[in-house]
Amino acid sequence: MQRYILKRLVQSALSLLAVTVIVFMLVRLSGDPAVLMAPPDAAPAEIQEMRVKMGLTKPIYIQYGNFIADIARGNFGQSFKWDKPCLDVWMERFPNTMLLAGAAMFFTLLIGLPVGILSAVKVDSWFDRFGKIFALMGQSLPVFWVGLMLMIIFAVFLGWLPTSGMGSWKHLLMPAFTLGWAFMAAITRLTRSSMLDALDHDYIKMARIKGVSKYGVVMKHAFKNALIPIITMGALNFVFMLNGTVITETVFNWPGIGRLVVEAIFARDFPLVQCCVLIGAFFFIFVNLFVDILYAYIDPRIRYS
Amino acid sequence: MMNLKDLAGKIGIGGLLRKAGVHKIIEATGQVPVIPGLLLLAFVICAIFAKWIAPHDPLFNQLKHALLPPFWMEGGTSAYLLGTDHLGRDILSRLIGGATISLEVAFIVVALAGIIGIAAALLSGYLGGWVDALLMRICDIFMSMPYLIVAIVLVAVLGPSRTNIIITLVVLGWAGYARILRGEVLRIKQGDFIQLAVLAGCSKTRIMLRHIFPNIVNPFIIMATLQLGNVIIAEASLSFLGLGVPPPYPAWGSMAAEGRNYIFESWWLCVWPGLAIMLVVLSCNLLGDWLRVHLDPKFRQL
């Protein structure tokens, strides 16, 4: 087990390093980083000053060392557009994305879990087939289009919900459902397969013979045992959601991290883009690591493969 | 004496159809996803022959015909079946033109990412050792990156164009093929015919290309079909954010993004491109699932 954890730790550290190298290289490959990092209307003298300030006159490995050292200190540079440290801008927007992803997760579980459980209990019934189609649709529909269609139906035609922006709980419904649907497929399929797995055991037969109610068998005996992969998958999905809000937030003008990345790109505010990508990737890699270790802890077969 | 039931059976429609062997056709085609197949075929034909199929020039704008509704609505004309956009361009023609872009990007991305992935899988799976370790670590790194955000940044830095979208999606896509096909290579490597080939003195290159490669073509085709849909969605998402093929060229994602500004008065601008994406991607997924069941013996029992 320790060996496995060590192996995964090294792997994750390498991934982290690779992401920093890629971001570092990207900024340099795309031309003069000083021009990229300077405000769009900077004079040549200012750009030269930027070049010295960024240490671009030094050898490349020293530049990279400084880059890593800055990140380690939590110094992601200054955003031009907001005229604040990038990390501060990020921190301001992050709670909004958390709120959106949390609400989306709620929708995902609210619909995904019951559909998955019922599909497993009534395998090959019309309900199972409906669940499959529903999940397939979630995977096949582009997120932005789901958002736009909801907008047309509930905001334009019915007028029940506001089209975009953030405010009351009404503003939250459409973006949360849009974001959640894409992830519902995974949760539904996983719930269905792990429930089928759990229902196949002898203790389920035993419980039935003992005369446990149908609800008791399904919920208390099978579902509890099917829950572990669902929880891990849920945690993983939550982080995917945090990273996947770009489109949803753009459609609904939701002031979160995803929208921030897009705004920063179009304002050519590269320090901020860099900050968002690095933090997003760190989250992503860290949670992947956590989930893998948790899985290995639960299922010993993984450790030895 | 012939009873009524036999008579009905003889002259009834069911009987006629049965005589014509229709039930055999239905039995045979019932398993085949006919509708997704036809939809994809239509998509490919539209994409290839866009110039001749499109009723209007997709780039020609005529402001006096701007925002016309589809033909069945009041004010719509049969000249513009699905209506026109904010610049008076024919939406149907733009949809057909968008098919070309989607198909081109999706096909090239899947092919290039597939070639790189297959090469990595063959080297990594067959040679093993440090080659395997190195390639798989690189795969891990690529697979542990947040896909869309990295794609957005890459395209933004490189500059939005068709080539750059393709480069980005290939860079982010090859690792998935490499990872899964490597597993297949490892399995095939155990086969007796590989041992025999080694005994017969085949070179490593020959074993990889002539003996292992043909055996991973089927899993690759399954993956590629499923990936086609994902690539189309990724391309559309980038276009939606304004990072796709630059205007005025009609990409489905950017058509939806343009339509967002007119959502109150002209909802159809957003509806059609999304509907097109949905039909194509759904078809890819259904066909991919079907291929998985029929090409891969492991799944036949399921």
Side-chain angles (χ1 to χ4, degrees):
Chain A
M1 186 68 193
Q2 270 130 343
R3 253 195 85 197
Y4 178 79
I5 293 179
L6 196 71
K7 204 177 116 197
R8 281 298 282 114
L9 272 175
V10 172
Q11 247 175 47
S12 305
L14 282 177
S15 294
L16 280 180
L17 212 61
V19 171
T20 58
V21 170
I22 288 170
V23 171
F24 177 80
M25 298 257 286
L26 259 183
V27 175
R28 274 151 190 83
L29 275 181
S30 58
D32 189 345
V35 176
L36 212 58
M37 291 290 182
D41 51 350
E46 280 177 276
I47 293 176
Q48 183 55 37
E49 194 189 317
M50 192 79 186
R51 216 166 271 151
V52 176
K53 204 172 115 197
M54 286 173 69
L56 292 175
T57 42
K58 291 180 189 138
I60 192 111
Y61 56 91
I62 294 187
Q63 284 182 37
Y64 182 70
N66 289 338
F67 175 72
I68 296 287
D70 272 348
I71 294 173
R73 282 190 218 109
N75 176 11
F76 288 93
Q78 191 85 4
S79 155
F80 317 126
K81 200 179 172 213
W82 280 269
D83 210 17
K84 270 191 269 191
C86 293
L87 199 60
D88 290 2
V89 181
W90 191 87
M91 296 283 252
E92 265 168 37
R93 297 288 197 98
F94 187 62
N96 298 341
T97 294
M98 276 296 270
L99 176 67
L100 177 58
M105 200 69 214
F106 175 75
F107 268 121
T108 306
L109 296 179
L110 187 75
I111 301 174
L113 286 184
V115 172
I117 293 172
L118 279 175
S119 298
V121 174
K122 298 180 188 298
V123 183
D124 284 334
S125 64
W126 63 267
F127 187 84
D128 187 17
R129 249 167 258 152
F130 167 77
K132 247 182 221 165
I133 293 169
F134 187 70
L136 195 65
M137 293 275 279
Q139 280 180 323
S140 305
L141 291 173
V143 173
F144 61 85
W145 195 63
V146 175
L148 289 172
M149 287 306 105
L150 288 176
M151 223 187 238
I152 287 173
I153 295 169
F154 292 102
V156 176
F157 283 142
L158 297 173
W160 291 350
L161 298 169
T163 45
S164 58
M166 200 181 137
S168 67
W169 60 271
K170 279 185 174 174
H171 287 88
L172 188 58
L173 286 180
M174 288 196 293
F177 183 79
T178 306
L179 183 60
W181 197 7
F183 292 90
M184 236 172 258
I187 292 286
T188 311
R189 282 185 175 184
L190 187 73
T191 309
R192 180 177 179 273
S193 67
S194 42
M195 275 301 281
L196 280 177
D197 227 34
L199 282 170
D200 201 33
H201 284 291
D202 285 341
Y203 59 78
I204 297 292
K205 273 181 215 141
M206 186 65 204
R208 288 219 170 104
I209 293 166
K210 273 197 314 186
V212 178
S213 69
K214 203 163 185 186
Y215 174 84
V217 170
V218 171
M219 293 312 289
K220 293 216 175 105
H221 292 251
F223 183 60
K224 266 194 184 165
N225 284 294
L227 209 55
I228 294 167
I230 299 170
I231 289 173
T232 12
M233 183 77 164
L236 198 59
N237 269 355
F238 189 69
V239 177
F240 288 153
M241 272 182 188
L242 288 179
N243 272 312
T245 54
V246 181
I247 304 278
T248 314
E249 287 182 4
T250 308
V251 173
F252 291 102
N253 250 323
W254 187 268
I257 301 294
R259 183 93 199 98
L260 186 67
V261 174
V262 176
E263 280 170 29
I265 281 176
F266 283 105
R268 303 207 69 76
D269 191 345
F270 269 86
L272 189 56
V273 175
Q274 192 175 291
C275 169
C276 293
V277 173
L278 284 173
I279 297 178
F282 289 176
F283 258 116
F284 194 86
I285 292 169
F286 182 75
V287 169
N288 262 322
L289 170 73
F290 180 73
V291 169
D292 275 0
I293 290 178
L294 201 66
Y295 261 138
Y297 186 73
I298 294 164
D299 186 348
R301 274 170 304 180
I302 295 169
R303 275 176 250 164
Y304 302 111
S305 70
Chain B
M1 201 186 127
M2 193 179 276
N3 65 28
L4 269 176
K5 209 178 165 191
D6 283 345
L7 194 71
K10 233 171 200 163
I11 59 167
I13 298 206
L16 276 177
L17 287 177
R18 196 155 302 151
K19 249 184 203 149
V22 170
H23 69 288
K24 274 184 196 153
I25 297 172
I26 291 173
E27 223 165 68
T29 54
Q31 299 297 316
V32 184
V34 180
I35 297 172
L38 286 178
L39 272 170
L40 276 185
L41 191 70
F43 166 63
V44 173
I45 289 174
C46 278
I48 296 174
F49 302 105
K51 259 188 203 142
W52 295 279
I53 293 176
H56 298 268
D57 178 356
L59 305 182
F60 181 67
N61 49 21
Q62 239 184 328
L63 283 175
K64 66 174 179 193
H65 286 165
L67 297 175
L68 286 178
F71 73 94
W72 69 85
M73 282 171 62
E74 212 184 309
T77 73
S78 53
Y80 302 103
L81 285 178
L82 300 181
T84 58
D85 70 1
H86 57 292
L87 295 176
R89 296 173 295 198
D90 179 35
I91 292 182
L92 181 62
S93 306
R94 286 180 71 72
L95 274 186
I96 294 171
T100 314
I101 294 176
S102 282
L103 181 77
E104 215 173 63
V105 171
F107 192 77
I108 297 176
V109 166
V110 168
L112 287 182
I115 290 171
I116 301 174
I118 287 174
L122 284 173
L123 289 173
S124 169
Y126 186 66
L127 297 179
W130 66 268
V131 180
D132 184 31
L134 180 72
L135 281 171
M136 283 304 111
R137 284 304 78 75
I138 297 175
C139 272
D140 282 340
I141 291 165
F142 276 96
M143 289 178 83
S144 67
M145 285 195 283
Y147 188 83
L148 195 59
I149 290 195
V150 175
I152 289 169
V153 175
L154 266 171
V155 175
V157 171
L158 296 171
S161 77
R162 197 173 309 193
T163 323
N164 289 340
I165 293 175
I166 291 173
I167 293 174
T168 303
L169 295 179
V170 169
V171 165
L172 291 174
W174 68 275
Y177 296 95
R179 178 50 80 62
I180 292 191
L181 295 177
R182 172 183 168 268
E184 286 294 301
V185 174
L186 285 179
R187 196 176 55 79
I188 293 158
K189 204 172 116 182
Q190 310 295 326
D192 288 339
F193 67 106
I194 300 293
Q195 307 296 324
L196 289 173
V198 174
L199 279 180
C202 291
S203 69
K204 280 181 176 163
T205 328
R206 192 181 161 84
I207 290 177
M208 279 191 272
L209 292 180
R210 292 299 300 259
H211 297 271
I212 298 182
F213 173 68
N215 285 297
I216 58 172
V217 168
N218 277 356
F220 168 70
I221 289 174
I222 296 163
M223 277 191 83
T225 319
L226 292 170
Q227 272 300 309
L228 219 52
N230 289 344
V231 173
I232 288 173
I233 287 195
E235 186 267 330
S237 304
L238 286 171
S239 308
F240 180 77
L241 292 173
L243 295 167
V245 178
Y249 296 101
W252 289 346
S254 50
M255 286 171 71
E258 284 163 9
R260 187 177 177 272
N261 303 324
Y262 302 90
I263 200 163
F264 278 100
E265 58 268 38
S266 315
W267 50 266
W268 55 91
L269 294 193
C270 307
V271 174
W272 301 129
L275 211 57
I277 299 171
M278 181 187 87
L279 289 178
V280 171
V281 175
L282 206 59
S283 303
C284 287
N285 287 345
L286 287 171
L287 206 67
D289 270 344
W290 179 81
L291 282 174
R292 178 158 59 195
V293 175
H294 285 260
L295 286 183
D296 193 337
K298 270 184 296 182
F299 290 97
R300 227 163 255 165
Q301 262 79 47
L302 293 180

